[in-house]
Amino acid sequence: DSELGMVLPMEYLAVAEKAGLTEPLTELMLHKTFNLLRRLPQSAKPLTISLNLTAAQLFAPGLMNFLAGCDEEDRELFSRLEMEIKESTLTRDFDLASVLVAKLRELGIGVCIDDYGLSRYSLMYLQKLPVTAIKLARVFSERISWEPREVAFIEGVARFAGGLGVRVIVKNLENEQQLLSLRQD
């Protein structure tokens, strides 16, 4: 909101991309994440941190170069990372995206498709990519309490994803009625 003097993340990232700062920002983000993970208290089930990657961050060679150059101490934290990639990013260059997702998974880093379900190829992405999670697009949860077909869609995707061992996240559930609609079936 420019009236408050704040810059929205997408505006900030667009400026950083134009200025050629995508790769240094990605490295800074990863360094800070590794430091945070080291400071978090140990628990029976270690916490995972999800990082949103823009298309520029995913497709830039700096991401994989940085990860390949990480020392053993940082590599041990890879299993506690999850990279969130918007479904629209996959549509830009599916072949390259699938190679990069596979490389992230080989490193032990989780991958979540964010805003899932908006592409006509959504099911193919889920079937072909070794992702660990999908985060359904907001439109499905917004209509869930008054549109029974949304519940059926979410249930169908959840069954399909579950069969592939993929977690399903329904984001933007904002009221009890939405939650009850999902739990009824």
Side-chain angles (χ1 to χ4, degrees):
D1 186 88
S2 58
E3 286 184 32
L4 298 175
M6 295 187 324
V7 178
L8 297 173
M10 293 314 294
E11 294 171 3
Y12 175 80
L13 290 171
V15 170
E17 194 175 322
K18 287 178 187 173
L21 297 173
T22 301
E23 291 183 25
L25 281 175
T26 303
E27 290 178 18
L28 178 63
M29 173 183 72
L30 286 165
H31 279 299
K32 289 193 171 288
T33 301
F34 293 146
N35 289 335
L36 177 61
L37 284 169
R38 279 190 206 91
R39 290 193 320 264
L40 287 174
Q42 295 298 318
S43 62
K45 184 177 179 186
L47 294 174
T48 299
I49 293 181
S50 292
L51 302 172
N52 293 307
L53 290 181
T54 65
Q57 289 173 304
L58 176 66
F59 294 126
L63 173 64
M64 291 303 165
N65 292 338
F66 175 82
L67 293 170
C70 283
D71 61 26
E72 191 60 37
E73 186 181 4
D74 287 344
R75 284 178 172 271
E76 289 176 11
L77 299 170
F78 284 1
S79 65
R80 297 177 63 192
L81 286 178
E82 184 172 76
M83 301 295 188
E84 289 191 19
I85 303 165
K86 288 202 178 290
E87 187 178 63
S88 59
T89 296
L90 300 174
T91 63
R92 290 187 184 190
D93 187 341
F94 180 75
D95 292 334
L96 179 56
S98 62
V99 168
L100 296 171
V101 167
K103 285 182 180 181
L104 289 169
R105 293 298 301 129
E106 287 169 13
L107 292 169
I109 297 171
V111 177
C112 176
I113 301 175
D114 192 11
D115 282 342
Y116 179 84
L118 298 178
S119 167
R120 64 182 177 178
Y121 300 110
S122 294
L123 290 178
M124 183 205 58
Y125 297 147
L126 187 54
Q127 183 182 18
K128 301 238 183 244
L129 296 172
V131 299
T132 52
I134 58 172
K135 192 182 284 189
L136 294 176
R138 165 180 270 179
V139 66
F140 302 110
S141 60
E142 287 175 345
R143 299 187 320 205
I144 203 169
S145 56
W146 52 270
E147 178 56 65
R149 297 181 84 182
E150 298 306 332
V151 174
F153 174 82
I154 292 170
E155 289 173 348
V157 168
R159 274 192 219 102
F160 186 68
L164 298 171
V166 175
R167 259 180 20 257
V168 177
I169 301 161
V170 180
K171 63 183 183 178
N172 299 100
L173 288 179
E174 297 175 350
N175 62 56
E176 193 170 341
Q177 180 58 42
Q178 291 170 318
L179 183 60
L180 290 173
S181 295
L182 277 179
R183 286 189 171 167
Q184 284 178 353
D185 293 321

